[in-house]
Amino acid sequence: MNKKTDKLIADLTISLEQKTKLIKDVHAEMDRGLAGEKSSIKMLPAYIWPPTGNERGEYLAIDFGGTNLRVMLVKLEGQGKIVMPKIRVQTIGPDILSGTGEQLCGFIADAVIDFMQEAGMDMTLEKEFGFTFSFPMDQRSITSAFLISWTKGFCTSGMVGENVVALVQAAFAKRGFPQIRVGAIANDTVGTLAHGLYENSATSLGVIIGTGTNAAYVEKTSAITKFPALQSKTDTMMINMEWGGFDRIGRTVYDEMIDELSSNPGEQFLEKMVAARYLGDLVSLIINDLIESGEFSPAMRPIKEDAFFDAREVSLIAKDESMALTDMEQLLENHGSGGVRFDDRALVKKVAKLILDRSANIAATMMMAVVKKIDFSLERVHAIAIDGSLYEKAYGYKEEVRRAIEELAGEKKNQVKPFVCKDGSGVGVAVVAATVASAK
Ligand code: BGC
């Protein structure tokens, strides 16, 4: 490999020393966020506290904020047991991403109404549902949430600064169902944390590594100094960190290009290095740059912007363990590069691996930073509930996260236990709704 590739490897690999420094910087930003000072980690109180695991009941839950809208019926049976008798998944199309707030809220209301009718539910009764809304929001209670900004390519008009709960309820009312109401709204990380805690009280973090990335944990209200009044209400509260905004992390020229191409330039720097939405674009941009520098054979053609790889394809490339790397041939041909040489395929694979591993290493460092903020010396076990397609499905991702956690936790490595919390966010908001209901 030549100098350019060597530099790429150096730029995209994060050393243990860098990770240790990052953890310190994350702690400082978390403190600033809790104090209400300027911080790239927002630290948003979620107005919900940990469930006991004994909450019961049947809840309707809506999960909005990634690639799909999911409506589900969730049964909490107590003692940490959850069943999900019915789920409906609908893709969120580009028309919704860049349409109006009214269209978006109407899309949600229509999906819920259809689901309820299909399930034979009585549409005349009062019905409260749990609402996972996976964006940064400023909450003042469990049923009010003002959208701070869009992320993950959403740019729907008329919603930033507005109370999302009121907008969604207006959509139900407009359709003749004012009695269907939001009983609790929560970020997906908060849902995942609640879900994790319901099943396992050692859960310290709820993490999403999917289209976007973020985490939530439980904080003492005495430490949330920006809202002193919270202390009189409850001892602890979940915090939606919004770690995707963390900006104390070295970026490459490719990261800067991704930022410029995005719908929210200047924001979500960490998310753009970690989350699935951006990984395929990163790999494609790097490959194009290496083509321009002559690192590939002429058979390798620049990838057009409308045909950039997606994260699923990046994972497929990394997964090609065949001797001659022939599994990825068809995929490359689909992107305009048929009949490339073995060396070309090896370099494509190298880039895909570097980007996936960088993502996993940053995510693991962030998780360790939060765990260490809670318990610096890792005195107790910390389970980490993780939801999201990238963590769950990308080739080698979980293993790399585990490796990085072990590197950072050293001899205390068994105190940190990440686990897949499938449908964590959607199911979790049912737990949130139940926790609220049992406190009434
Ligand atoms: C949003 C977070 C969300 C995360 C994962 C980010 O883009 O800002 O609120 O939790 O994506 O869905």
Side-chain angles (χ1 to χ4, degrees), residues 174-203:
K174 197 175 163 193
R175 284 160 177 75
F177 298 102
Q179 73 284 11
I180 305 176
R181 303 181 61 80
V182 177
I185 186 166
N187 185 260
D188 52 355
T189 56
V190 170
T192 303
L193 174 60
H195 184 175
L197 275 164
Y198 190 77
E199 293 180 339
N200 175 0
S201 61
T203 305

Side-chain angles (χ1 to χ4, degrees), residues 390-404:
L390 192 63
Y391 182 76
E392 203 194 324
K393 295 191 192 137
Y395 184 72
Y397 198 94
K398 279 192 219 83
E399 293 71 19
E400 187 60 22
V401 166
R402 180 75 230 160
R403 199 201 56 73

Side-chain angles (χ1 to χ4, degrees), residues 134-136 151-152 187-189 208 212-214 242 268 271:
S134 316
F135 298 95
T151 56
K152 298 175 280 199
N187 185 260
D188 52 355
T189 56
I208 303 285
T213 186
N214 186 16
E242 291 295 335
Q268 299 292 94
E271 179 159 89

Side-chain angles (χ1 to χ4, degrees), residues 203-264:
T203 305
S204 292
L205 255 79
V207 175
I208 303 285
I209 310 175
T211 312
T213 186
N214 186 16
Y217 75 108
V218 180
E219 184 55 276
K220 293 183 285 299
T221 42
S222 58
I224 313 173
T225 52
K226 60 182 166 183
F227 294 130
L230 290 178
Q231 265 186 76
S232 60
K233 299 201 173 85
T234 159
D235 293 340
T236 60
M237 182 170 279
M238 293 188 192
I239 296 282
N240 163 21
M241 293 178 63
E242 291 295 335
W243 79 17
F246 183 62
D247 65 2
R248 309 285 159 101
I249 182 161
R251 297 189 305 142
T252 65
V253 286
Y254 308 109
D255 298 306
E256 284 164 13
M257 286 158 87
I258 290 288
D259 185 46
E260 277 162 32
L261 283 175
S262 73
S263 59
N264 55 347

Side-chain angles (χ1 to χ4, degrees), residues 263-323:
S263 59
N264 55 347
E267 289 170 21
Q268 299 292 94
F269 284 166
L270 178 127
E271 179 159 89
K272 287 169 187 166
M273 301 167 99
V274 173
R277 178 168 174 94
Y278 305 99
L279 296 194
D281 292 355
L282 271 169
V283 169
S284 307
L285 283 173
I286 296 173
I287 289 175
N288 282 354
D289 188 42
L290 294 179
I291 291 175
E292 201 164 293
S293 322
E295 309 259 326
F296 282 100
S297 79
M300 189 78 195
R301 309 301 308 154
I303 311 163
K304 298 206 179 69
E305 206 177 308
D306 60 359
F308 274 4
F309 293 121
D310 60 26
R312 193 188 53 87
E313 291 171 323
V314 173
S315 167
L316 281 175
I317 293 169
K319 195 176 170 193
D320 189 348
E321 302 278 15
S322 61
M323 278 287 279

